[in-house]
Amino acid sequence: MELSSQKLGLCDAYLSANKMKLVLAESMTAGYVASVISLLRKSGDYFLGSIVCYHDNMKIESLKVDPNLLDRYGGVSAQVTAELIKGLQHIYNPEVAIAVTGFAYESAVTSLTNPVGTVYINIQSPDFDFAKKCIFKGSPEEIIKEATIEIIENLYESILLSQACRKSKL
């Protein structure tokens, strides 16, 4: 799957036109999502930036993730990804917050339930709250690119759903 320039353009236009602020917490993708967003024409209107919290210590120090949560669930988990969102919201108060954790490489903590390619995505705004676990196949580069595409696709779909809900209330 490739990044859709049309979908990226709609996300770019929507966030800019609605004066929304977007901030990211990237673990496995290590800034790759931010690099894609920063290339959009209107990104300067809404994109605050990305916290790259690859190591658990960065999750604790920069976004105040509870160390006990990391010990209990691990840095790649739905619980920690949701906690990254809370940290972003507390510190930056954005209209849209996106967090991603995952395994692009084999490690001591990958398992049958969380193999290489496992990715947790969380997207939140006042209009939508989205959390998903994905499992991608391929090289580390392919996994990171697929996770980025999935994030953009889910942001796009969330925006469309939000627009449809607003229109139905009229």
Side-chain angles (χ1 to χ4, degrees):
M1 186 185 293
E2 295 291 320
L3 277 169
S4 165
S5 59
Q6 179 184 0
K7 290 176 181 177
L8 280 165
L10 178 115
C11 293
D12 188 48
Y14 179 84
L15 294 169
S16 176
N18 288 283
K19 298 181 180 6
M20 301 177 94
K21 297 299 178 199
L22 167 67
V23 69
L24 310 171
E26 296 185 74
S27 182
M28 179 196 74
T29 54
Y32 191 82
V33 179
S35 71
V36 169
I37 291 170
S38 71
L39 294 173
L40 299 173
R41 190 169 62 94
K42 297 180 181 182
S43 62
D45 295 343
Y46 59 85
F47 185 46
L48 297 179
S50 179
I51 302 296
V52 175
C53 47
Y54 198 80
H55 192 277
D56 286 351
N57 287 343
M58 280 295 292
K59 293 173 180 73
I60 295 166
E61 295 299 320
S62 63
L63 294 171
K64 308 304 180 208
V65 172
D66 183 349
N68 295 322
L69 196 67
L70 287 160
D71 289 341
R72 184 171 182 187
Y73 298 105
V76 177
S77 64
Q79 295 83 356
V80 168
T81 308
E83 197 71 11
L84 293 173
I85 290 285
K86 288 179 187 174
L88 290 173
Q89 291 170 331
H90 177 74
I91 296 167
Y92 300 102
N93 196 31
E95 285 79 14
V96 180
I98 299 174
V100 58
T101 64
F103 293 118
Y105 295 93
E106 189 73 37
S107 75
V109 293
T110 52
S111 66
L112 291 175
T113 56
N114 278 335
V116 171
T118 300
V119 177
Y120 291 92
I121 298 168
N122 198 315
I123 303 173
Q124 289 195 2
S125 86
D127 294 332
F128 46 86
D129 181 357
F130 178 87
K132 183 177 193 176
K133 176 182 179 180
C134 304
I135 299 180
F136 300 109
K137 303 284 186 204
S139 68
E141 295 85 3
E142 291 167 331
I143 292 168
I144 290 168
K145 286 179 183 178
E146 287 300 316
T148 301
I149 292 166
E150 189 70 24
I151 289 165
I152 299 302
E153 289 284 331
N154 289 294
L155 177 61
Y156 171 79
E157 290 169 11
S158 297
I159 288 170
L160 289 182
L161 183 60
S162 174
Q163 288 177 324
C165 289
R166 285 184 183 181
K167 286 180 183 177
S168 70
K169 290 180 183 178
L170 295 178

